Amino acid sequence: MESAVILAAVAGAAAVLLALRLWIVLHSRVVVPRESLSLMVVAGSGGHTTEILRLLEYLSNAYSPRHYVIADTDEMSAQKISSFELDRADRDPSTRSCERDGIMLQDTRVLQDIHVELHEKKGLNGNLVSRRVSLAGYQFPKYYIHRIPRSREVQQSWLSTVLSTLYSMWLSFPLTYRVKPDLVLCNGPGTCVPICVSALLLGILGIKKVIIVYVESICRVEHLSLSGKILFHLSDYFIVQWLTLKEKYPKSVYLGRIV
């Protein structure tokens, strides 16, 4: 009996400390001046990606590097992001694509190293010959595309959604820990929930305070999305684009239509 009481007391104390730490993290908004801000952007299929890219058009290059997180099956968003970044680079003289030896280098997975190993078949024997191309002196758009499992598929049951979300969160935390972004920006895709929770855990564990900014989709006029309902109390800034939502959720930030 005594051991059960002690365990209950310890569990209660741990819960209180965790709640206190969570409150401190959510209410800590110390702004530190800096030249650049590491940005993690959560993109979703279809309209979510289009809206978030429209929003990024207004951000300066100080928000760099940009780390995009998409679902592992979302090829359309990957194409949209790459196209957006290349267009952005074309407008910015400080970044450009590079062509060496007749090979156009635009894939961020290739550009992570200053040297790239290129393999090609030469001769009749088909032996693989390694050719090294130096990229020294070139600058590229500082962005990366990361993939995590999708939290929820369309028409997926709620029970299996819980399991898939937990699995996605399990893989999201190592990514968030590795990147350690200064700011997470999202607008409603289910993929953003595990990323935001992982970013919140960085603060709870005392690793780094990550600012979470949630922008509700322009399509949400009177009701929040499921992701919005979950992250309303966990985000540092919750932005809505319709006055009706601001009236229902006074703690939200109303800026009018921004995408």
Side-chain angles (χ1 to χ4, degrees):
M1 184 65 178
E2 282 187 20
S3 60
V5 173
I6 294 175
L7 287 175
V10 171
V16 170
L17 290 175
L18 181 61
L20 179 61
R21 180 61 184 169
L22 178 60
W23 186 90
I24 293 174
V25 170
L26 291 176
H27 291 80
S28 175
R29 297 182 181 180
V30 179
V31 178
V32 180
R34 63 193 71 188
E35 294 183 357
S36 62
L37 207 68
S38 176
L39 178 64
M40 178 172 279
V41 182
V42 186
S45 56
H48 287 297
T49 298
T50 300
E51 286 188 17
I52 205 74
L53 292 180
R54 287 177 182 173
L55 186 60
L56 290 178
E57 289 178 355
Y58 300 100
L59 298 184
S60 68
N61 287 331
Y63 293 87
S64 177
R66 292 175 293 278
H67 294 267
Y68 295 92
V69 181
I70 62 175
D72 52 7
T73 57
D74 189 4
E75 294 299 333
M76 182 179 296
S77 290
Q79 295 174 6
K80 287 183 178 180
I81 291 168
S82 297
S83 177
F84 168 80
E85 287 290 345
L86 290 176
D87 290 342
R88 185 185 181 107
D90 288 340
R91 297 193 300 267
D92 184 1
S94 66
T95 58
R96 60 188 183 275
S97 58
C98 163
E99 184 172 0
R100 293 292 299 271
D101 297 336
I103 300 174
M104 184 62 69
L105 304 171
Q106 295 176 336
D107 193 331
T108 55
R109 291 170 295 182
V110 174
L111 301 179
Q112 289 178 359
D113 195 341
I114 197 120
H115 295 290
V116 180
E117 291 287 348
L118 298 176
H119 300 277
E120 60 181 13
K121 288 185 177 180
K122 284 188 176 181
L124 297 177
N125 56 5
N127 291 332
L128 289 178
V129 179
S130 175
R131 183 157 56 96
R132 183 177 291 271
V133 178
S134 175
L135 304 180
Y138 290 87
Q139 293 182 343
F140 300 93
K142 296 180 180 179
Y143 79 98
Y144 306 88
I145 296 178
H146 309 277
R147 299 174 184 268
I148 62 173
R150 190 182 293 271
S151 297
R152 183 175 185 268
E153 298 286 353
V154 178
Q155 296 182 344
Q156 183 178 346
S157 67
W158 291 108
L159 180 59
S160 61
T161 295
V162 174
L163 297 177
S164 60
T165 300
L166 289 175
Y167 177 64
S168 181
M169 194 177 302
W170 176 263
L171 297 180
S172 296
F173 183 76
L175 169 62
T176 310
Y177 176 79
R178 185 172 69 251
V179 173
K180 292 186 180 67
D182 298 304
L183 173 67
V184 171
L185 179 64
C186 53
N187 67 337
T191 310
C192 71
V193 174
I195 289 294
C196 290
V197 172
S198 298
L200 191 62
L201 281 175
L202 290 184
I204 294 175
L205 297 175
I207 299 173
K208 183 177 184 178
K209 165 61 178 176
V210 180
I211 301 297
I212 301 175
V213 178
Y214 184 96
V215 182
E216 186 60 282
S217 172
I218 188 67
C219 301
R220 295 293 175 170
V221 180
E222 297 182 351
H223 304 284
L224 296 180
S225 62
L226 178 59
S227 299
K229 293 177 181 178
I230 295 173
L231 297 176
F232 178 73
H233 300 286
L234 301 180
S235 58
D236 295 279
Y237 300 95
F238 192 95
I239 301 173
V240 296
Q241 303 186 62
W242 293 94
L243 193 56
T244 50
L245 285 178
K246 172 62 178 178
E247 294 172 351
K248 285 185 176 181
Y249 302 92
K251 292 184 179 180
S252 63
V253 179
Y254 172 67
L255 299 177
R257 181 170 180 174
I258 58 177
V259 296

